[in-house]
Amino acid sequence: AQTVTQSQPEMSVQEAETVTLSCTYDTSESDYYLFWYKQPPSRQMILVIRQEAYKQQNATENRFSVNFQKAAKSFSLKISDSQLGDAAMYFCAYRRGTGNQFYFGTGTSLTVIP
Amino acid sequence: GAVVSQHPSRVICKSGTSVKIECRSLDFQATTMFWYRQFPKQSLMLMATSNEGSKATYEQGVEKDKFLINHASLTLSTLTVTSAHPEDSSFYICSARGTRGASDYGYTFGSGTRLTVV
């Protein structure tokens, strides 16, 4: 069974600083995708970044980057130059390469301090 | 880009009544739609997967007769909570996967529906 674990229920960061959110997962598959989704107070799920397991290069999207450690089954999200609008719930998610189902972690609530 | 519209955003209903939630893909054909439930401060739990024109596949523990899913067209899926009870109060989110021409729109989430049963 696939499981996704986010060990940090809450995190805070000073505006303009950098924060890293942790995520580990468990799978026996070799073909899969990993995601970070942002859920602001509006509750809309917004895709932040995606990583294909077969790619060794870490994905980056502007101020967001991941540290993908396949052997350790770790997938952390780094947010640089944090902004007030980054405050939200962040969910790490896993999906098998050939499957449709997402497995979500329990989320990390990020607070950005002005 | 791909947009999924979910309606209503909030609904309050009396215990024992039924509520229908719609999920529409606005600019792409959604071959597969997914319904999730999210309790306060918890993660999203997949309830069911539906493919256009076929019966939905429900996750273990989800009552098929209580949560009726219809995916009658490539742009619309509905979730009907039948004989709602207060314990059905939750946040329901749909997600759609589809294509438009040769483009794979991947997975897009709706904005969710807050259901409160009183």
Side-chain angles (χ1 to χ4, degrees), chain B residues 19-31:
Chain B
V19 174
K20 181 183 285 188
I21 302 170
E22 292 187 347
C23 181
R24 293 181 185 273
S25 57
L26 297 186
D27 50 4
F28 67 100
Q29 294 183 329
T31 51

Side-chain angles (χ1 to χ4, degrees), chain A residues 42-72:
Chain A
S42 68
R43 306 298 291 273
Q44 175 78 54
M45 293 288 282
I46 302 166
L47 177 63
V48 175
I49 201 164
R50 176 179 110 157
Q51 174 82 42
E52 291 89 341
Y54 65 84
K55 289 187 177 178
Q56 292 186 338
Q57 188 172 5
N58 290 323
T60 61
E61 285 289 340
N62 301 313
R63 298 183 294 107
F64 298 88
S65 62
V66 298
N67 184 3
F68 175 45
Q69 300 290 323
K70 191 171 184 178

Side-chain angles (χ1 to χ4, degrees), chain B residues 12-74:
Chain B
I12 301 173
C13 71
K14 290 185 178 180
S15 186
T17 62
S18 295
V19 174
K20 181 183 285 188
I21 302 170
E22 292 187 347
C23 181
R24 293 181 185 273
S25 57
L26 297 186
D27 50 4
F28 67 100
Q29 294 183 329
T31 51
T32 308
M33 285 189 171
F34 311 86
W35 288 95
Y36 292 85
R37 183 173 181 175
Q38 186 180 26
F39 289 104
K41 298 187 177 181
Q42 293 190 26
S43 188
L44 283 72
M45 299 299 295
L46 181 66
M47 299 174 64
T49 301
S50 73
N51 293 294
E52 185 264 339
S54 62
K55 289 185 178 180
T57 302
Y58 290 81
E59 295 300 304
Q60 192 172 8
V62 178
E63 298 176 60
K64 301 178 183 181
D65 295 332
K66 166 166 275 298
F67 299 101
L68 299 180
I69 292 172
N70 183 281
H71 192 166
S73 77
L74 283 171

Side-chain angles (χ1 to χ4, degrees), chain B residues 93-114:
Chain B
I93 306 177
C94 71
S95 173
R97 181 185 187 185
T99 59
R100 182 179 180 187
S103 299
D104 181 357
Y105 277 85
Y107 301 80
T108 304
F109 285 85
S111 54
T113 297
R114 162 78 63 201

